[in-house]
Amino acid sequence: MVHSKLSSVSAYALSFGAAVAVALAILLLRPSYQGAPIVMPFLLPVLIGALYGGFGPGLLATLSGAVLGTYLAITPVGSPRGEGADEWIPLGAFVVVGLAIVLLVHLWRTGLVRRELQARQRLEDEIFRRQQAEEQLRVERDRFVVTLTSIGDAAVVTDTGGRIELFNPTAESLTGWIQDEARGQPLENVFRVVNEETLNPIENPVEKVLRTGAVVGLANHTVLIARNGRKIPISDSAAPIRGMDGRLLGVILIFRDVTESRRAEAALAESEALYRAIGESIPFGAWICEPNGDIRYLSDSFLKMTGMTLDECIHVGWTSRVHPEDLQPILDHWRYCVKTGCFWDYEYRIRSAEGSYRHILSRGVPIRNAEGKVTAWAGMNLDITEMKKLQDELIRKTEELTAADRQKDEFLATLAHEMRNPLAPIMSAVQILHRTSGDGPQYAWARDVIERQTKHLTRLVDDLLDVSRISRGKVTLNKQPLELATIVNHAMETSRPLIQAHGHSISLSLPSEPVWIEGDQIRIAQVVSNLLNNAAKYSEPNRQIWLTAATENGQAVIRVRDAGVGISPEVLPRIFDLFAQADRSLDRAKGGLGIGLSLVKQLVDLHGGSVEAKSEGIGKGSEFIVRLPLLCDKPAEQSTAKPEDDTDAEKRAALRVLVVDDNADAVEGLSLLLELEGCEVERASDGPTALAIAQRFAPDVVLLDIGLPVMDGCEVAQKLRAMPQIRQALLIAISGYGQDQDRYRCLTAGFDHHFIKPVRLEDITRVIAEHRLRKPDTGSQFKTSSCQ
């Protein structure tokens, strides 16, 4: 038993009182206490003082016992005892024993107090720890409750019996239960879940956790039935709540509404499908690479094009299909982009599954995270093969157009030169005519020059018009059976003046038997004449020209060969192109316009034939070969109209001709020519004047310009046809407009013929003669000339 230490006064009083009590007891018992040491009983007060008072009271009790024991051991007063050493030994032993008892008890009490203090401290510490744990538990519980209340997901905490303890606001919102109503309820009453497809109830996740002790989650397609019957698709998981000792304390259930996430997933899937479709719709599609450049994804269109699988592209490498010339540059550029993170933009060729190379334009960008680190590469491959073809074609066309534009400029310069060349001698001839009489040699020379150069100008214009009409498909051939030798002879006679002017000799070889072809007489003769003219112009003076006509392999063949300047191999393939000329450095008298051979080819093509040019090079001459289809059947004999006898013509009076043109020189010049032919001529410069003259003059022939002031020629022609006296007259349109629509408009207005300026007198007299043959009884009388 442990005694509490008394107060100091009480302890000392107890020690001293115990010593006095022992002394009194000794006094009372002294008669029977003979022979024993008187001081030994005082050990009891020492023990009591030490036990209940400690060290000080124990010492007091020891001193008090020693004093009282000594006193009682002394003989009573009047009979003193001797003071021998034997009487002090018990006293010394008492003091030693007493001090030992005090010391031992003091040590025992000190240890006991220390142990009591330690026990008390441990108890206080345990109480403090318990208080702290309880406070921590309260804080953690409050935090847990706040956490469950504030999280976005629904949270429910149950005990080990599956009854609800905590219920956060999100759970209230989804289930339709409030926390006060839900607390203590079995979870299955509040949290009712069914299969989304079958609507059959499924096992509550909390029950499974309580049964297995493991974390569980519901399968997909789970639907929560709310208190109001609303069906909400959810995802959930449940986990056990365990104490420090591992004992199961309850279950926490977390679930969420996945309606919006499903919509987002559906939208994402739709977006991915859309972008995948877009990627697949682009030839060779999309690609994705790792940050280091390794392939992660390639579109199906690219794989189909290369004939490789994605695994082959990853492990073997799509670069195995890249054109050898493009391989190293594309690898170097790709490594540079991967290293620097710059945009990828490169064009290369790759071999397709069919073996042909396709042109690819590949572009890509690095995908970076929030820290700017490249996490992937994404890009598109675009098949630009067709675009490259179009680009090459565009370049070719551009070059052709540039060349054509250059040829056009050269042609215009040549045309200006060729037009000025005849104008110069014409101007000189006109000056000579002003200064000479009509019968001198200079006068005859000037007249011949004007006639010759005018014909040359007319031929230039006619060639230009022919090329224009043929190029637009507006030429109509007057095909008829033709004898080849006749056509060749006619063409040779047409070109003979030019050939002779250059001092050339011509060797002619014709078939021994008639060779018949079908074609336009004028156009075939034009072809041969152009080739002969070309041979004459492009040969040095006094050279030989060979003209041969024959049949070969069922075709009529015309060959024109010369010993002239020849054609270079570079020019030969395009010698028949429009405005092409073999040598631009030649004298312009030889150069021409560069349209003659083009006209030849187009006319021959219109006849179903072909033309070929041959030459061994510059200075070695050239040969042109024209092949035309033969006519299968020989034509029947054709009768020719008998020319009118001069004696009959003399019986007829002069023709009345009305000339209408707003150009005074043109009117006067043509009128004078007609008057020289014996015609009676009236002149008019506009439509109303012409109508007034025609009313009284009643012309047999009207030469009418189309571009008149006040009233154009077509309107004048319509009004003339309305006059009874003019109804049978010959109306000839003379115009500077020679398009097909111009001709059609004139014929519709009532004209019989349409001539393009400048018109030759021979053409006018020819149509007048033809008109007379068709209508001999026009009322006019003929003389010996065309107008008589």
Side-chain angles (χ1 to χ4, degrees), residues 282-285 359-363 380-385 387:
I282 298 175
F284 304 167
H359 288 266
I360 303 298
L361 177 61
S362 181
R363 289 181 175 175
M380 305 292 289
N381 291 327
L382 182 62
D383 182 5
I384 60 170
T385 304
M387 186 178 72

mmCIF file of all heavy atoms in Angstrom, residues 282-285 359-363 380-385 387:
data_model
loop_
_atom_site.group_PDB
_atom_site.id
_atom_site.type_symbol
_atom_site.label_atom_id
_atom_site.label_comp_id
_atom_site.label_asym_id
_atom_site.label_seq_id
_atom_site.Cartn_x
_atom_site.Cartn_y
_atom_site.Cartn_z
ATOM 1 N N ILE A 282 -9.125 12.340 -99.167
ATOM 2 C CA ILE A 282 -7.993 12.994 -99.828
ATOM 3 C C ILE A 282 -7.067 11.908 -100.357
ATOM 4 O O ILE A 282 -6.731 10.976 -99.633
ATOM 5 C CB ILE A 282 -7.232 13.899 -98.834
ATOM 6 C CG1 ILE A 282 -8.160 15.003 -98.316
ATOM 7 C CG2 ILE A 282 -5.990 14.492 -99.472
ATOM 8 C CD1 ILE A 282 -7.536 15.857 -97.253
ATOM 9 N N PRO A 283 -6.663 12.000 -101.614
ATOM 10 C CA PRO A 283 -5.773 10.969 -102.155
ATOM 11 C C PRO A 283 -4.540 10.789 -101.283
ATOM 12 O O PRO A 283 -3.790 11.729 -101.065
ATOM 13 C CB PRO A 283 -5.409 11.514 -103.539
ATOM 14 C CG PRO A 283 -6.561 12.391 -103.901
ATOM 15 C CD PRO A 283 -7.024 13.011 -102.610
ATOM 16 N N PHE A 284 -4.382 9.564 -100.768
ATOM 17 C CA PHE A 284 -3.276 9.157 -99.901
ATOM 18 C C PHE A 284 -3.440 9.673 -98.477
ATOM 19 O O PHE A 284 -2.640 9.352 -97.627
ATOM 20 C CB PHE A 284 -1.910 9.552 -100.458
ATOM 21 C CG PHE A 284 -1.662 9.013 -101.834
ATOM 22 C CD1 PHE A 284 -0.618 9.464 -102.597
ATOM 23 C CD2 PHE A 284 -2.506 8.050 -102.375
ATOM 24 C CE1 PHE A 284 -0.396 8.971 -103.870
ATOM 25 C CE2 PHE A 284 -2.297 7.557 -103.646
ATOM 26 C CZ PHE A 284 -1.250 8.011 -104.390
ATOM 27 N N GLY A 285 -4.457 10.482 -98.163
ATOM 28 C CA GLY A 285 -4.955 10.726 -96.822
ATOM 29 C C GLY A 285 -3.993 11.277 -95.796
ATOM 30 O O GLY A 285 -3.068 12.014 -96.079
ATOM 31 N N HIS A 359 3.207 11.493 -107.809
ATOM 32 C CA HIS A 359 3.744 12.701 -107.183
ATOM 33 C C HIS A 359 2.920 13.013 -105.921
ATOM 34 O O HIS A 359 1.689 13.105 -105.976
ATOM 35 C CB HIS A 359 3.679 13.885 -108.146
ATOM 36 C CG HIS A 359 4.675 13.785 -109.258
ATOM 37 N ND1 HIS A 359 5.922 14.376 -109.200
ATOM 38 C CD2 HIS A 359 4.618 13.142 -110.450
ATOM 39 C CE1 HIS A 359 6.585 14.112 -110.321
ATOM 40 N NE2 HIS A 359 5.812 13.372 -111.095
ATOM 41 N N ILE A 360 3.625 13.155 -104.802
ATOM 42 C CA ILE A 360 2.967 13.399 -103.511
ATOM 43 C C ILE A 360 3.427 14.743 -102.958
ATOM 44 O O ILE A 360 4.620 15.039 -102.956
ATOM 45 C CB ILE A 360 3.304 12.290 -102.495
ATOM 46 C CG1 ILE A 360 2.910 10.922 -103.041
ATOM 47 C CG2 ILE A 360 2.615 12.543 -101.163
ATOM 48 C CD1 ILE A 360 1.440 10.781 -103.312
ATOM 49 N N LEU A 361 2.466 15.539 -102.493
ATOM 50 C CA LEU A 361 2.763 16.743 -101.721
ATOM 51 C C LEU A 361 2.406 16.432 -100.277
ATOM 52 O O LEU A 361 1.245 16.250 -99.943
ATOM 53 C CB LEU A 361 1.967 17.942 -102.222
ATOM 54 C CG LEU A 361 2.152 19.242 -101.413
ATOM 55 C CD1 LEU A 361 3.611 19.676 -101.448
ATOM 56 C CD2 LEU A 361 1.259 20.344 -101.944
ATOM 57 N N SER A 362 3.424 16.334 -99.421
ATOM 58 C CA SER A 362 3.225 15.946 -98.025
ATOM 59 C C SER A 362 3.454 17.160 -97.142
ATOM 60 O O SER A 362 4.480 17.852 -97.266
ATOM 61 C CB SER A 362 4.190 14.819 -97.643
ATOM 62 O OG SER A 362 3.983 14.426 -96.304
ATOM 63 N N ARG A 363 2.513 17.399 -96.239
ATOM 64 C CA ARG A 363 2.620 18.526 -95.312
ATOM 65 C C ARG A 363 2.234 18.060 -93.917
ATOM 66 O O ARG A 363 1.307 17.264 -93.775
ATOM 67 C CB ARG A 363 1.722 19.694 -95.740
ATOM 68 C CG ARG A 363 2.235 20.412 -96.984
ATOM 69 C CD ARG A 363 1.348 21.565 -97.385
ATOM 70 N NE ARG A 363 1.916 22.311 -98.502
ATOM 71 C CZ ARG A 363 1.322 23.314 -99.128
ATOM 72 N NH1 ARG A 363 0.117 23.691 -98.754
ATOM 73 N NH2 ARG A 363 1.916 23.942 -100.122
ATOM 74 N N MET A 380 -0.942 15.530 -93.822
ATOM 75 C CA MET A 380 -1.732 14.989 -94.918
ATOM 76 C C MET A 380 -0.813 14.727 -96.109
ATOM 77 O O MET A 380 0.172 15.428 -96.321
ATOM 78 C CB MET A 380 -2.828 15.978 -95.339
ATOM 79 C CG MET A 380 -3.735 16.433 -94.217
ATOM 80 S SD MET A 380 -4.783 15.121 -93.581
ATOM 81 C CE MET A 380 -5.904 14.917 -94.951
ATOM 82 N N ASN A 381 -1.177 13.692 -96.873
ATOM 83 C CA ASN A 381 -0.527 13.406 -98.158
ATOM 84 C C ASN A 381 -1.518 13.711 -99.273
ATOM 85 O O ASN A 381 -2.648 13.231 -99.227
ATOM 86 C CB ASN A 381 -0.103 11.940 -98.243
ATOM 87 C CG ASN A 381 1.032 11.620 -97.298
ATOM 88 O OD1 ASN A 381 1.879 12.467 -97.046
ATOM 89 N ND2 ASN A 381 1.051 10.417 -96.773
ATOM 90 N N LEU A 382 -1.101 14.503 -100.216
ATOM 91 C CA LEU A 382 -1.979 14.892 -101.321
ATOM 92 C C LEU A 382 -1.374 14.392 -102.629
ATOM 93 O O LEU A 382 -0.207 14.660 -102.931
ATOM 94 C CB LEU A 382 -2.135 16.411 -101.374
ATOM 95 C CG LEU A 382 -3.061 16.962 -102.456
ATOM 96 C CD1 LEU A 382 -4.480 16.461 -102.246
ATOM 97 C CD2 LEU A 382 -3.033 18.474 -102.468
ATOM 98 N N ASP A 383 -2.179 13.646 -103.379
ATOM 99 C CA ASP A 383 -1.751 13.142 -104.676
ATOM 100 C C ASP A 383 -1.855 14.276 -105.699
ATOM 101 O O ASP A 383 -2.950 14.721 -106.038
ATOM 102 C CB ASP A 383 -2.616 11.965 -105.097
ATOM 103 C CG ASP A 383 -2.176 11.371 -106.434
ATOM 104 O OD1 ASP A 383 -1.149 11.832 -106.968
ATOM 105 O OD2 ASP A 383 -2.848 10.454 -106.922
ATOM 106 N N ILE A 384 -0.724 14.764 -106.153
ATOM 107 C CA ILE A 384 -0.714 15.889 -107.105
ATOM 108 C C ILE A 384 -0.233 15.438 -108.479
ATOM 109 O O ILE A 384 0.229 16.266 -109.266
ATOM 110 C CB ILE A 384 0.169 17.039 -106.579
ATOM 111 C CG1 ILE A 384 1.618 16.553 -106.374
ATOM 112 C CG2 ILE A 384 -0.382 17.604 -105.287
ATOM 113 C CD1 ILE A 384 2.589 17.688 -106.081
ATOM 114 N N THR A 385 -0.369 14.117 -108.735
ATOM 115 C CA THR A 385 0.099 13.608 -110.022
ATOM 116 C C THR A 385 -0.617 14.298 -111.180
ATOM 117 O O THR A 385 0.008 14.774 -112.131
ATOM 118 C CB THR A 385 -0.105 12.097 -110.091
ATOM 119 O OG1 THR A 385 0.557 11.475 -108.982
ATOM 120 C CG2 THR A 385 0.453 11.534 -111.380
ATOM 121 N N MET A 387 -2.239 17.066 -111.078
ATOM 122 C CA MET A 387 -1.916 18.491 -111.069
ATOM 123 C C MET A 387 -0.554 18.738 -111.712
ATOM 124 O O MET A 387 -0.365 19.720 -112.432
ATOM 125 C CB MET A 387 -1.919 19.030 -109.644
ATOM 126 C CG MET A 387 -1.727 20.531 -109.542
ATOM 127 S SD MET A 387 -1.785 21.137 -107.851
ATOM 128 C CE MET A 387 -0.231 20.519 -107.233
#
